[in-house]
Amino acid sequence: MFGERLSAMLCLLVGKYRLSKRLVREALSDLLGVKLSLGAIRDREQEMSDALSAPVAQAEEYVRDQDAANLDETGWYEGKGEGSHHRAWLWVAATALVAVFRITSSRGSEVAKALLGTDFAGFLTTDRWSAYNWYDTALRQLCWSHLTRDFQGFIDRGGEGARIGQELMDERNRMFKWWHRVRDGTLAREAFERRMKEVEQKVGRLLREAEVGAEEKTAGIAKQILRLEEAMWTFVHVEGLEPTNNFAERLIRPCVLYRKTSFGTQSPEGSRFVERILTAVTTLGLQRRNVLEYLSDLLYAHRRGLPLPSLLPFATSTQASLPV
């Protein structure tokens, strides 16, 4: 009763356009004259989730083998009990051409370790959340968007910390001015590295001043940053690394909108569908591949026991490379 293209379109309306099952039913009825029950929509989602299982697992392995990755997480809900939604978290591990999502009840380091794998040895860009502190500081890059907010907090709280915060913001502004010139090719990277030595030294000195002389909260945050001081400057010395985690944050932003309209997922099975369809939609978008064509081809292969098309960047949507 349900062809591959119709099933793929249904799942795309949920996974990319964030429509509820009821809105999907109405959309297909209005646009195509197709009448579906909510149960039929749920069954199509489960079938797509099963079909995506192997390609997503391969995408996870691909991320673990890369030289650099970005990690981020956001709040989620899974299931409901005693009148309230159960708290969960949606994570993303992203590289330039592949992004993998995972929904779990934990925001702890074990999730980050599972996403990256025990053999990951690339550069990792994150915020200061403690779940990432197990990773080698020399291979981390702290997000300067988050550090900017920290420094602004120094200013907003006033006192001696406000002066220090303003000086930190001045150094931050100098750094980004030069960084933008490196990116547009008007400043040589070698010159950037030389100039940044002074910035690195001054920022370190200011953070130490805040640690011992600023107000309690400001001093505490300065102390936390100093524990990861080395990770503030990795991008200066590693070509291709960005100073912010904005890439991962951009990828996870649609998920925040999804959560706000859907209130999360109702079951572990629903979470598996969402994390897998988000992985497919986001990854194919990064590769500029047609999502509807891929999902249709995937279901065609899945239903017939054929090798499954890959999500990896060197594959094409019509070239099967995964066993069922």
Side-chain angles (χ1 to χ4, degrees):
M1 293 177 59
F2 304 98
E4 287 85 16
R5 196 169 185 85
L6 175 61
S7 297
M9 186 181 302
L10 180 159
C11 293
L12 193 57
L13 289 173
V14 176
K16 182 176 182 179
Y17 298 102
R18 304 186 293 275
L19 298 186
S20 67
K21 291 180 177 60
R22 293 184 185 279
L23 285 177
V24 168
R25 182 176 63 178
E26 293 178 16
L28 293 177
S29 176
D30 293 342
L31 297 175
L32 302 177
V34 175
K35 306 295 184 181
L36 295 176
S37 68
L38 295 179
I41 295 173
R42 184 167 53 250
D43 291 344
R44 300 286 67 74
E45 291 179 354
Q46 184 59 57
E47 182 185 29
M48 182 63 74
S49 181
D50 293 341
L52 280 169
S53 177
V56 168
Q58 190 186 44
E60 291 176 348
E61 289 300 320
Y62 174 90
V63 169
R64 294 166 186 160
D65 288 338
Q66 299 310 293
D67 294 332
N70 297 63
L71 254 65
D72 199 11
E73 77 293 326
T74 187
W76 193 261
Y77 298 105
E78 182 184 271
K80 191 175 182 179
E82 298 180 357
S84 62
H85 295 281
H86 293 156
R87 187 67 164 167
W89 299 92
L90 184 143
W91 294 69
V92 63
T95 64
L97 294 174
V98 175
V100 174
F101 292 83
R102 183 172 295 184
I103 296 172
T104 174
S105 60
S106 172
R107 198 188 179 194
S109 61
E110 70 277 5
V111 183
K113 293 177 183 178
L115 277 170
L116 290 176
T118 56
D119 296 330
F120 182 74
F123 293 99
L124 180 62
T125 302
T126 69
D127 56 25
R128 290 194 299 104
W129 175 237
S130 59
Y132 307 118
N133 287 349
W134 58 273
Y135 199 66
D136 187 348
T137 305
L139 295 176
R140 279 184 70 184
Q141 174 58 54
L142 291 185
C143 176
W144 269 86
S145 294
H146 286 79
L147 290 172
T148 298
R149 290 195 282 273
D150 289 331
F151 298 161
Q152 185 60 51
F154 290 8
I155 296 171
D156 294 341
R157 281 187 287 275
E160 178 63 12
R163 177 193 62 80
I164 297 172
Q166 186 57 62
E167 291 194 46
L168 285 167
M169 288 292 278
D170 292 341
E171 295 306 308
R172 175 262 184 209
N173 293 338
R174 276 211 298 170
M175 180 268 285
F176 270 110
K177 180 180 178 180
W178 295 337
W179 173 249
H180 292 151
R181 289 188 58 194
V182 171
R183 293 184 62 179
D184 64 24
T186 61
L187 179 64
R189 186 167 193 92
E190 294 78 8
F192 174 67
E193 291 189 31
R194 287 196 301 271
R195 294 184 183 189
M196 283 299 298
K197 291 179 181 178
E198 181 183 349
V199 173
E200 293 177 33
Q201 292 171 359
K202 187 169 182 181
V203 168
R205 176 176 60 77
L206 288 168
L207 286 171
R208 287 171 176 80
E209 285 184 25
E211 183 183 18
V212 298
E215 293 67 33
E216 182 177 0
K217 185 171 183 179
T218 296
I221 293 175
K223 183 176 182 179
Q224 292 172 13
I225 295 173
L226 283 169
R227 289 175 183 153
L228 301 170
E229 183 179 8
E230 185 179 9
M232 298 173 69
W233 313 111
T234 309
F235 79 100
V236 176
H237 312 289
V238 178
E239 190 167 359
L241 208 60
E242 293 284 330
T244 73
N245 201 29
N246 292 350
F247 176 62
E249 292 187 354
R250 285 195 302 270
L251 297 184
I252 212 169
R253 193 168 296 127
C255 307
V256 176
L257 299 176
Y258 191 120
R259 181 197 68 215
K260 290 181 177 179
T261 56
S262 68
F263 301 103
T265 45
Q266 300 305 311
S267 66
E269 293 76 18
S271 293
R272 299 295 79 74
F273 166 71
V274 168
E275 65 188 22
R276 290 169 183 172
I277 196 69
L278 287 174
T279 295
V281 166
T282 306
T283 294
L284 294 169
L286 291 172
Q287 298 173 27
R288 300 184 182 277
R289 291 166 61 185
N290 187 293
V291 184
L292 182 59
E293 293 297 333
Y294 173 85
L295 295 178
S296 300
D297 292 346
L298 177 71
L299 279 182
Y300 182 91
H302 176 71
R303 289 175 174 180
R304 291 161 179 81
L306 300 173
L308 305 176
S310 174
L311 287 169
L312 302 191
F314 49 78
T316 66
S317 60
T318 58
Q319 180 64 49
S321 57
L322 284 173
V324 175

